[in-house]
Amino acid sequence: MSETVTYREALNRGMADALAEDERVFLFGEDVGASGGAFKITDGLFDRFGPKRVRDTPISEQAIVGTAIGSALMGLRPLAEIMFADFAAVCFDQIANELAKYRYMTGGQVTLPVTIRMSNGAGGGFGSQHSQAAENWLLNVPGLKLVVPATPADAYGLLRAAVRDPDPVLVFEHKHLFNLKGELNDPPAVGELGKAEIVRSGEDITLVGTQLMRHRCVEVAERLADDGVEAEVIDPRTLAPLDLDTIRASLDRTNRLLVAQECPPDGSWGASVIARVVGTQLEAFDAPPALVSAEETPVPYAGVLEEMWLPSVERILDAAKRTLDY
Amino acid sequence: MSETVTYREALNRGMADALAEDERVFLFGEDVGASGGAFKITDGLFDRFGPKRVRDTPISEQAIVGTAIGSALMGLRPLAEIMFADFAAVCFDQIANELAKYRYMTGGQVTLPVTIRMSNGAGGGFGSQHSQAAENWLLNVPGLKLVVPATPADAYGLLRAAVRDPDPVLVFEHKHLFNLKGELNDPPAVGELGKAEIVRSGEDITLVGTQLMRHRCVEVAERLADDGVEAEVIDPRTLAPLDLDTIRASLDRTNRLLVAQECPPDGSWGASVIARVVGTQLEAFDAPPALVSAEETPVPYAGVLEEMWLPSVERILDAAKRTLDY
Amino acid sequence: MSSSTSSSTAEIPLSEQLEWLRLMHEIRVFEEECHRMFAQGIVRGSTHLGQGQEAVAVGACRALRASDTMSCTYRGHAAVLAKGAPLDEAFGEILGKGKGLCGGKGGSMHLTDMRVGAIGSFAIIGAHLPIALGVAHAAQYQGSDDVTLAFFGDGATNIGAFHEALNMASVWKLPAIFVCENNLYGEYSPIASTTPIERLSERAAAYAMAGATIDGNDVVVVHDAVAEAAARARAGEGPTLIEALTYRHKGHSRADPAAYRPPGELERWLQRDPITLLEGRLREAGVDSERLDAVRGRAERAVAEALERAKGWPDPEPETRLEHVFA
Amino acid sequence: MSSSTSSSTAEIPLSEQLEWLRLMHEIRVFEEECHRMFAQGIVRGSTHLGQGQEAVAVGACRALRASDTMSCTYRGHAAVLAKGAPLDEAFGEILGKGKGLCGGKGGSMHLTDMRVGAIGSFAIIGAHLPIALGVAHAAQYQGSDDVTLAFFGDGATNIGAFHEALNMASVWKLPAIFVCENNLYGEYSPIASTTPIERLSERAAAYAMAGATIDGNDVVVVHDAVAEAAARARAGEGPTLIEALTYRHKGHSRADPAAYRPPGELERWLQRDPITLLEGRLREAGVDSERLDAVRGRAERAVAEALERAKGWPDPEPETRLEHVFA
Ligand SMILES: Cc1ncc(C[n+]2csc(CCOP(=O)(O)OP(=O)(O)O)c2C)c(N)n1
Ligand SMILES: Cc1ncc(C[n+]2csc(CCOP(=O)(O)OP(=O)(O)O)c2C)c(N)n1
Ligand SMILES: [Mg+2]
Ligand SMILES: [Mg+2]
């Protein structure tokens, strides 16, 4: 049995099930309570679970992440919300220096089963400071698991996996996908961190993308199929841990790799994937790996500019064709 | 004429000359004044330039970066110190969301000639939160120039260039190099952002490294020379703007590339360099590009562990040999 | 420590007060047009309107000199217009036009007009308060007696940047004025649920700073309080924290129906609508309805014409998206 | 709002006070050994010693229960030992040994011993204050009446995290005790150069929090003030900010000769050395010199033996460097 739900509904259900499953789980953040959250993702949870399990905070992101860390230290399973991933910047120390390193610096004395959800990504006209793919800020910080779901099923499944995981997990929820519909099993499946999905099989080229770009890669694959080219589309789903094996195996079959991402190229997850793969599989490449990135600028506001900033289906398609024709 | 000075002295001289050259320049940060700074880099500047030009702040890194931004908006040329680069985390929003994007978001209404100096890097037993190569957190943020000097001459020259530059420049000063000696011309040369240095010429392999790793690459090159292998060593000196041309040209000659860096591989500058180069010069590679990184853990405290965390000369040499023997 | 400045309308020339009224009308109509455009889907993203809070923006900005500077929040249309930004270019920015204030790259949350000292609207809570330090520091450094004023919300008083900025402004005795627009809510949260004190101006004491709570719906009160703070700042006596009590008539952003408000609250505040208050005051001073209507009519026409112009402007040129990362 | 709690030694059993004295001696000698080892180059990195501040650590920690928790700063050896961490493992950590508290991966600035509720030493100013919120929240959530106590310096009261933590602790009425060790300097900066108020406990008012300034060199005063705050916290009455006035005898870190101190200052504070003060008090209560010397001797021997043991431990196994990133 399955049901069609939106990405937003899937997240909501994921939180509800996590709260119902384990008394140690509590949800907190700015306006996540009675008002149901800035994007209405936590709608109804306050009514169902009450003020102890679902709690509003002041506008104090450092305090929010700190509360998650401290609560986890003492055996709770905090599920925190940072409204926009861009605001990871105001609590970056708590995330990158405290949360990520606490277990290591104490020689394993503590575990930190913290989940932090944040709304991510561009495409909505929110401007430079509310549109970033902030997971890229944290790639170089060992100690964090980074989850980037693209479908309702993954939004549910990976959020559940995050809450059950004994380690810090950041869940990036893409704003542009909140209304995306998809199937959710009943009961819905809990996911697994570190497992990529082969969204579409193909032998001619491997397209790798997450979140919004995963969907664009699928569109590109369909356009290529019109020309008789079969692209394999892979969604890593989690960037740390990263399922390189699936990408490597695909590349061994297709011998051509394209990564599409909605961020500038330097310091990006796409560049990291390429550097890793090329470091061990140079001969597998019949063409240079293509990295299709956003522009090397902040995200512009105006619709026409923001559209150009993001890798479009056309831009990815062109890069795929160049890679195929190489 | 030239003189032998330490990296620390070169920085000190750079600041003195910048302050002397331009009344709009002022130096500020925690304990940079009468006490001469935590690493004694600003020693004597307070006495020479007085309390208006050299000013202590509270322990408020957000306020420090904000003060730099606001002062620059109004025509000053702030030269701020953040004591350890790891503390960029507590003012990450000011750096990544405000400083980096201000000019862009206002459609070019403002310029931000801000320089922020920070002590960077591992190797001193300072532990996980005082040893990071924090430039990697900022690679994915357009709008910042990132400077990573390895020698006294570059410490001086690039700091001067940073202060004269009309844009935000972050200068990462490597703690492990403070006592390193080198030549400084009299008068010392002002550097140029975005120009790599070919530290050593060679035809057999290109070794790329910054700061501490640049010096280790030179050692590796010398060890290789004992075996009759001639390595070219390139120090990018600035990671943004990045002088890819010099690296590309070298690779075209040597056909082998190794990047050594003191940070984990994902989201690193080294991975970014490799992804860019391989994307356009696949055929230039006679062996897979080697990325020699630090361990994928926080920086451990104990000397024996920290030494293993950092890429050692041996580890880089082994990787170079594997690349040469490929 | 916190005091309520009483209104001294007598000293402000009538012509000036009429000018404030015109400006408040302009802002009100501007916001209503924005509301409409967002509802119609002409404008994407989010928007945060300030109907009901006009007296704070106008009273404060009109107590400043042209060379003084001002920074504000994502709910900053009113402040930027009050500081003197042209209506059409403000609309243009919100519409994402190339001739908008920021070339269409900033948007509703980032209106900036350096020409008039509107140095920025900030979308990250509290982020401009450290920046205001720097602006004030530059005046101090350069020996000018300009001041800078920063608007922010009640909810912003709980973020770290607020604390660092107010502390350092006081230690460095900077010419800064911090104006907290206490509209009782941060997004959907009533202030009592996020802040343990009621009178936010009391936080000034933690920084040995002058502090006052004032009626933010009375433009004259706001003007006078800011004028006083500005005089102190210009004299080298340091910063001031002003808490202006006010209310937003609409929800937090376009998505918010504001269902969390207790019944009757909005109605009570509508009776203290800052425009109605000023009109009442002017009537008492002998200004007749015809003149008041004329002021309103002029404002409405100005806004309508500006919007018309802005709508006619073309989209930004594609290549502009790559400009202005670096100088 | 800030008050000075007076000492109530009468109520504390003599045996307990002798125990405190022993602990203060242990800490003092421990710190002196650290100083020596750093000077000898046996230990790398930086270190921050707390000679002169022992009464704060001991008085506060000994007012807590074993199940209560404590977090502190890079200048945290004293606090971690006072909460009950073993001397040898603390030395071991500073020496970077595998049997050190954190397996040699933390170091001097990160001593942690979860077994005794020493949940962490923090090297980023103020970073543990938000974390203390969470620890206190867990107690509240779990219905336990445990409290958590966080030590921090005077300079730390100017960083954003301090503000966010105290505000939210108060709004959520969390069982937390914030103990500011005001030793007059943040690194080399006297507090007046960075902070516009002198009595840091006054900042409690900004959070509607109980606040007190106390003599931090009198271990009994510290004990009583913390006991009172803990009782309030356990009763659900929320957090307290305690400012303990004290002084560090040495420089900020091993590199610092502390030349910035006005002449005579150190000497004045040495006369109020917390160990001397407690010894004086005990003498008055009839404890003779012999017994006091015996306490000191026992402490010295314990430290010497612990150091000996720790020095004999091997380096961490290489593979441990890759452990503990994830569970
Ligand atoms: C650092 C940060 N956290 C959260 C937000 C999301 N947010 C936008 S407005 C707002 C409420 C602010 O309330 P207040 O300061 O009272 O200002 P008002 O909107 O009432 O004018 C919040 C939480 C943000 N923009 N920045
Ligand atoms: C965020 C941050 N900024 C700066 C530092 C560097 N630093 C270490 S200790 C210190 C002084 C702290 O003073 P105080 O809080 O009074 O504590 P004390 O050292 O006197 O115990 C500074 C500035 C730091 N560790 N973290
Ligand atoms: Mg508000
Ligand atoms: Mg201190």
Side-chain angles (χ1 to χ4, degrees):
Chain A
M1 274 204 330
S2 90
E3 194 188 342
T4 304
V5 300
T6 63
Y7 188 91
R8 174 187 281 109
E9 287 161 353
L11 288 167
N12 185 281
R13 181 123 21 129
M15 283 184 278
D17 290 353
L19 285 159
E21 173 177 84
D22 189 340
E23 276 288 330
R24 296 169 303 173
V25 176
F26 69 106
L27 169 67
F28 66 114
E30 293 158 19
D31 294 303
V32 299
S35 66
F39 295 105
K40 291 283 166 285
I41 297 173
T42 58
D43 212 22
L45 299 177
F46 179 84
D47 287 343
R48 175 159 167 210
F49 294 98
K52 179 182 158 190
R53 309 286 309 282
V54 181
R55 199 164 182 183
D56 281 343
T57 68
I59 306 175
S60 306
E61 280 80 5
Q62 295 188 68
I64 292 173
V65 181
T67 297
I69 296 172
S71 296
L73 281 180
M74 305 313 286
L76 302 185
R77 299 199 153 243
L79 174 50
E81 174 176 307
I82 298 291
M83 202 180 288
F84 285 78
D86 314 68
F87 307 163
V90 297
C91 48
F92 199 80
D93 177 65
Q94 289 290 320
I95 296 174
N97 283 335
E98 315 304 332
L99 179 61
K101 299 177 173 48
Y102 209 138
R103 178 170 167 76
Y104 189 81
M105 292 194 306
T106 60
Q109 292 183 57
V110 304
T111 53
L112 288 157
V114 166
T115 303
I116 305 180
R117 303 169 37 245
M118 332 194 197
S119 77
N120 204 42
F126 285 97
S128 302
Q129 296 180 335
H130 282 65
S131 304
Q132 294 167 89
E135 68 273 23
N136 294 285
W137 296 343
L138 293 156
L139 296 170
N140 200 242
V141 180
L144 301 173
K145 297 181 178 174
L146 306 173
V147 175
V148 285
T151 65
D154 281 346
Y156 178 93
L158 296 175
L159 178 58
R160 292 296 307 279
V163 175
R164 285 187 186 174
D165 197 86
D167 292 312
V169 185
L170 310 188
V171 180
F172 295 88
E173 304 172 351
H174 201 290
K175 288 190 286 293
H176 218 64
L177 301 176
F178 285 148
N179 295 323
L180 180 88
K181 293 203 169 128
E183 294 305 292
L184 198 61
N185 286 341
D186 184 17
V190 175
E192 194 178 333
L193 305 182
K195 283 256 175 276
E197 181 189 359
I198 300 176
V199 183
R200 184 185 191 286
S201 297
E203 298 294 317
D204 298 327
I205 185 171
T206 303
L207 309 179
V208 180
T210 62
Q211 304 210 306
L212 188 56
M213 291 302 127
R214 165 211 163 122
H215 297 288
R216 296 202 175 166
C217 284
V218 171
E219 262 187 82
V220 167
E222 283 160 6
R223 297 271 290 273
L224 288 171
D226 295 343
D227 296 345
V229 173
E230 291 306 325
E232 181 140 304
V233 177
I234 295 178
D235 177 355
R237 299 197 283 196
T238 66
L239 296 176
L242 179 66
D243 181 1
L244 267 177
D245 290 345
T246 298
I247 297 172
R248 287 191 196 286
S250 176
L251 175 68
D252 275 336
R253 285 193 307 274
T254 66
N255 303 114
R256 292 171 202 270
L257 175 67
L258 179 154
V259 182
Q261 57 181 4
E262 66 164 277
C263 61
D266 288 333
S268 66
W269 67 267
S272 308
V273 166
I274 288 174
R276 283 193 183 262
V277 172
V278 83
T280 52
Q281 277 170 290
L282 182 68
E283 284 71 19
F285 288 89
D286 285 350
L291 182 58
V292 185
S293 301
E295 306 282 13
E296 292 179 64
T297 72
V299 184
Y301 165 73
V304 290
L305 301 185
E306 191 180 18
E307 256 171 51
M308 282 184 279
W309 185 87
L310 278 170
S312 61
V313 170
E314 288 306 328
R315 189 137 67 86
I316 303 169
L317 184 63
D318 284 353
K321 286 183 175 161
R322 273 196 309 276
T323 304
L324 286 158
D325 296 345
Y326 187 83
Chain B
M1 274 205 328
S2 89
E3 193 188 343
T4 304
V5 301
T6 63
Y7 188 91
R8 173 186 282 108
E9 287 161 352
L11 288 167
N12 185 281
R13 180 120 27 124
M15 283 185 276
D17 290 353
L19 285 160
E21 174 178 81
D22 188 341
E23 276 288 330
R24 296 169 304 175
V25 177
F26 70 105
L27 168 67
F28 65 114
E30 292 159 19
D31 294 303
V32 299
S35 67
F39 296 104
K40 292 286 168 284
I41 297 173
T42 58
D43 212 22
L45 300 176
F46 178 84
D47 287 343
R48 177 162 166 207
F49 294 99
K52 179 182 157 189
R53 308 287 306 282
V54 181
R55 199 165 183 184
D56 281 343
T57 68
I59 306 174
S60 308
E61 281 80 5
Q62 296 187 67
I64 293 172
V65 181
T67 297
I69 296 172
S71 296
L73 281 180
M74 305 312 286
L76 301 186
R77 298 199 153 241
L79 174 51
E81 174 176 308
I82 298 292
M83 202 180 287
F84 285 77
D86 315 67
F87 308 163
V90 296
C91 50
F92 199 81
D93 177 65
Q94 290 290 319
I95 296 174
N97 284 334
E98 314 305 332
L99 179 61
K101 299 177 173 50
Y102 209 137
R103 180 171 166 77
Y104 189 80
M105 292 195 306
T106 60
Q109 291 183 58
V110 305
T111 53
L112 288 158
V114 166
T115 303
I116 304 180
R117 303 170 35 246
M118 331 192 198
S119 78
N120 205 42
F126 286 97
S128 302
Q129 296 181 334
H130 284 65
S131 303
Q132 294 168 87
E135 69 273 23
N136 294 286
W137 296 343
L138 294 157
L139 296 169
N140 200 242
V141 180
L144 301 172
K145 297 180 179 174
L146 306 174
V147 175
V148 284
T151 65
D154 282 346
Y156 178 93
L158 296 175
L159 178 58
R160 293 295 307 279
V163 176
R164 286 188 186 173
D165 196 86
D167 293 312
V169 185
L170 309 188
V171 180
F172 295 87
E173 304 171 353
H174 201 289
K175 288 190 285 295
H176 218 64
L177 302 176
F178 285 148
N179 295 322
L180 180 88
K181 292 204 169 129
E183 292 306 292
L184 199 62
N185 286 341
D186 184 17
V190 176
E192 194 178 335
L193 306 182
K195 281 257 176 278
E197 182 189 358
I198 299 176
V199 183
R200 185 185 191 288
S201 297
E203 299 293 317
D204 299 327
I205 185 172
T206 303
L207 309 178
V208 180
T210 62
Q211 304 210 307
L212 189 54
M213 290 303 127
R214 166 211 162 122
H215 296 289
R216 296 203 175 166
C217 284
V218 171
E219 264 187 83
V220 168
E222 284 160 6
R223 296 273 288 273
L224 288 171
D226 294 344
D227 298 344
V229 173
E230 290 306 325
E232 182 141 302
V233 177
I234 295 178
D235 177 356
R237 298 198 283 196
T238 66
L239 296 177
L242 180 67
D243 181 0
L244 268 178
D245 289 346
T246 297
I247 297 172
R248 288 191 195 288
S250 177
L251 176 68
D252 275 337
R253 285 194 306 274
T254 66
N255 303 113
R256 293 172 201 270
L257 176 67
L258 179 153
V259 182
Q261 57 181 6
E262 67 164 276
C263 60
D266 288 332
S268 66
W269 68 267
S272 309
V273 166
I274 288 175
R276 283 193 183 261
V277 172
V278 82
T280 53
Q281 278 170 288
L282 182 68
E283 283 71 18
F285 287 88
D286 285 350
L291 182 58
V292 185
S293 301
E295 307 282 13
E296 293 179 63
T297 73
V299 184
Y301 166 73
V304 289
L305 302 185
E306 190 180 19
E307 255 171 50
M308 283 184 280
W309 185 87
L310 278 170
S312 62
V313 170
E314 288 307 326
R315 189 136 68 87
I316 303 168
L317 184 64
D318 285 353
K321 284 183 176 162
R322 273 196 308 276
T323 305
L324 286 158
D325 295 346
Y326 189 83
Chain C
M1 176 228 45
S2 77
S3 74
S4 190
T5 311
S6 73
S7 157
S8 60
T9 178
E11 298 156 28
I12 316 266
L14 218 58
S15 61
E16 178 76 5
Q17 292 189 53
L18 283 163
E19 169 61 12
W20 296 352
L21 180 66
R22 186 190 59 73
L23 196 51
M24 286 165 71
H25 276 307
E26 271 187 13
I27 293 169
R28 174 72 54 94
V29 185
F30 183 96
E31 294 290 64
E32 277 160 7
E33 290 294 355
C34 287
H35 194 76
R36 200 164 301 139
M37 290 193 293
F38 275 96
Q40 293 168 349
I42 301 178
V43 173
R44 300 180 320 144
S46 190
T47 189
H48 309 80
L49 305 174
Q51 291 102 318
Q53 303 186 197
E54 296 90 349
V56 187
V58 171
C61 289
R62 291 297 156 132
L64 300 179
R65 305 193 296 216
S67 58
D68 293 331
T69 49
M70 182 281 301
S71 54
C72 57
T73 73
Y74 50 87
R75 195 185 305 289
H77 304 170
V80 172
L81 294 173
K83 192 69 176 70
L87 289 163
D88 52 1
E89 294 179 30
F91 272 135
E93 187 58 31
I94 293 166
L95 285 161
K97 301 293 193 178
K99 282 172 112 174
L101 285 173
C102 307
K105 295 203 282 204
S108 162
M109 298 205 281
H110 297 293
L111 300 185
T112 303
D113 189 348
M114 292 299 287
R115 297 166 303 187
V116 299
I119 63 158
S121 303
F122 291 77
I124 307 270
I125 298 289
H128 55 311
L129 304 180
I131 294 170
L133 289 185
V135 175
H137 167 260
Q140 186 183 67
Y141 189 93
Q142 290 159 336
S144 121
D145 68 348
D146 286 340
V147 306
T148 198
L149 181 149
F151 293 106
F152 53 97
D154 44 285
T157 63
N158 294 330
I159 199 150
F162 166 85
H163 180 67
E164 296 192 10
L166 269 73
N167 181 70
M168 190 159 135
S170 180
V171 191
W172 281 25
K173 272 204 175 296
L174 295 177
I177 307 171
F178 298 100
V179 178
C180 175
E181 301 191 64
N182 184 349
N183 61 9
L184 312 189
Y185 294 89
E187 294 211 340
Y188 327 125
S189 297
I191 180 169
S193 70
T194 58
T195 314
I197 59 172
E198 207 190 336
R199 279 289 54 74
L200 299 177
S201 63
E202 285 171 18
R203 292 204 157 156
Y207 314 108
M209 189 184 289
T213 295
I214 61 168
D215 178 355
N217 277 16
D218 185 331
V219 66
V220 180
V221 168
V222 174
H223 173 273
D224 291 354
V226 171
E228 196 186 311
R232 222 175 11 245
R234 292 191 214 290
E237 290 162 26
T240 302
L241 171 62
I242 294 173
E243 176 192 20
L245 300 176
T246 185
Y247 197 76
R248 60 167 153 73
H249 295 167
K250 305 290 174 186
H252 166 71
S253 65
R254 63 161 170 156
D256 172 27
Y260 43 83
R261 295 170 170 182
E265 186 177 85
L266 172 61
E267 292 67 27
R268 275 196 309 283
W269 280 93
L270 281 175
Q271 304 202 330
R272 300 206 70 252
D273 182 310
I275 292 182
T276 319
L277 283 187
L278 180 55
E279 283 183 339
R281 186 198 290 283
L282 287 165
R283 269 203 195 86
E284 272 171 38
V287 181
D288 62 20
S289 291
E290 208 172 324
R291 193 147 164 218
L292 291 178
D293 288 349
V295 168
R296 180 196 192 103
R298 193 147 65 86
E300 284 170 347
R301 276 194 308 282
V303 172
E305 286 165 21
L307 180 54
E308 200 56 31
R309 266 196 307 282
K311 279 185 170 165
W313 289 338
D315 283 337
E317 294 298 326
E319 61 277 13
T320 62
R321 78 188 189 286
L322 301 177
E323 292 167 4
H324 305 135
V325 178
F326 293 113
Chain D
M1 173 228 49
S2 78
S3 74
S4 189
T5 310
S6 74
S7 156
S8 59
T9 178
E11 299 157 29
I12 316 265
L14 217 58
S15 60
E16 178 77 7
Q17 292 189 52
L18 283 164
E19 169 60 13
W20 297 352
L21 180 66
R22 188 191 57 76
L23 197 50
M24 286 165 70
H25 276 307
E26 271 188 12
I27 293 169
R28 175 72 54 93
V29 185
F30 184 96
E31 293 290 64
E32 276 161 8
E33 290 294 355
C34 287
H35 194 77
R36 200 164 301 138
M37 291 193 293
F38 276 95
Q40 292 168 349
I42 301 177
V43 174
R44 301 181 318 144
S46 190
T47 190
H48 309 80
L49 305 174
Q51 291 102 319
Q53 304 187 194
E54 296 89 349
V56 187
V58 171
C61 289
R62 291 297 155 133
L64 300 179
R65 305 193 296 217
S67 58
D68 293 332
T69 50
M70 182 282 301
S71 54
C72 57
T73 74
Y74 49 89
R75 196 184 306 289
H77 304 171
V80 172
L81 294 173
K83 192 69 176 70
L87 289 163
D88 52 0
E89 295 180 29
F91 271 135
E93 187 59 31
I94 294 167
L95 285 160
K97 301 292 191 178
K99 282 172 112 176
L101 285 173
C102 307
K105 295 203 283 202
S108 163
M109 297 205 282
H110 297 293
L111 300 185
T112 303
D113 189 348
M114 292 300 286
R115 297 166 302 185
V116 300
I119 63 157
S121 303
F122 290 77
I124 307 270
I125 298 290
H128 54 313
L129 305 179
I131 294 170
L133 289 185
V135 175
H137 167 261
Q140 186 184 65
Y141 188 93
Q142 291 158 337
S144 121
D145 69 348
D146 286 340
V147 306
T148 198
L149 182 150
F151 293 106
F152 53 97
D154 44 285
T157 63
N158 294 330
I159 200 149
F162 165 85
H163 180 67
E164 296 193 9
L166 269 74
N167 181 69
M168 190 159 136
S170 181
V171 191
W172 281 25
K173 272 201 176 298
L174 295 177
I177 307 171
F178 298 99
V179 178
C180 176
E181 300 191 65
N182 184 348
N183 61 9
L184 312 188
Y185 295 89
E187 294 211 341
Y188 326 125
S189 297
I191 179 169
S193 71
T194 58
T195 313
I197 59 172
E198 207 189 335
R199 280 289 54 74
L200 299 177
S201 63
E202 286 171 18
R203 292 202 157 157
Y207 314 109
M209 191 185 289
T213 295
I214 62 168
D215 178 355
N217 278 17
D218 185 330
V219 66
V220 180
V221 169
V222 174
H223 173 273
D224 291 354
V226 170
E228 196 186 312
R232 224 176 7 247
R234 292 191 214 289
E237 289 162 26
T240 303
L241 172 61
I242 295 172
E243 176 191 21
L245 300 176
T246 186
Y247 198 75
R248 59 167 154 74
H249 295 167
K250 304 290 173 186
H252 165 71
S253 63
R254 62 161 171 156
D256 171 27
Y260 44 82
R261 295 170 169 182
E265 186 177 86
L266 172 62
E267 291 66 28
R268 274 197 308 283
W269 279 93
L270 281 174
Q271 305 203 331
R272 301 207 68 253
D273 182 310
I275 293 182
T276 318
L277 283 187
L278 180 56
E279 284 183 338
R281 187 197 291 281
L282 286 165
R283 268 204 195 84
E284 273 171 39
V287 182
D288 62 19
S289 292
E290 210 173 325
R291 191 147 166 217
L292 291 179
D293 288 349
V295 169
R296 181 199 192 101
R298 193 146 63 87
E300 283 171 348
R301 274 194 308 281
V303 172
E305 286 165 21
L307 180 54
E308 202 55 32
R309 267 196 306 282
K311 278 185 171 168
W313 290 338
D315 283 337
E317 294 299 324
E319 60 278 12
T320 62
R321 76 189 189 286
L322 301 177
E323 293 166 4
H324 304 134
V325 178
F326 293 113

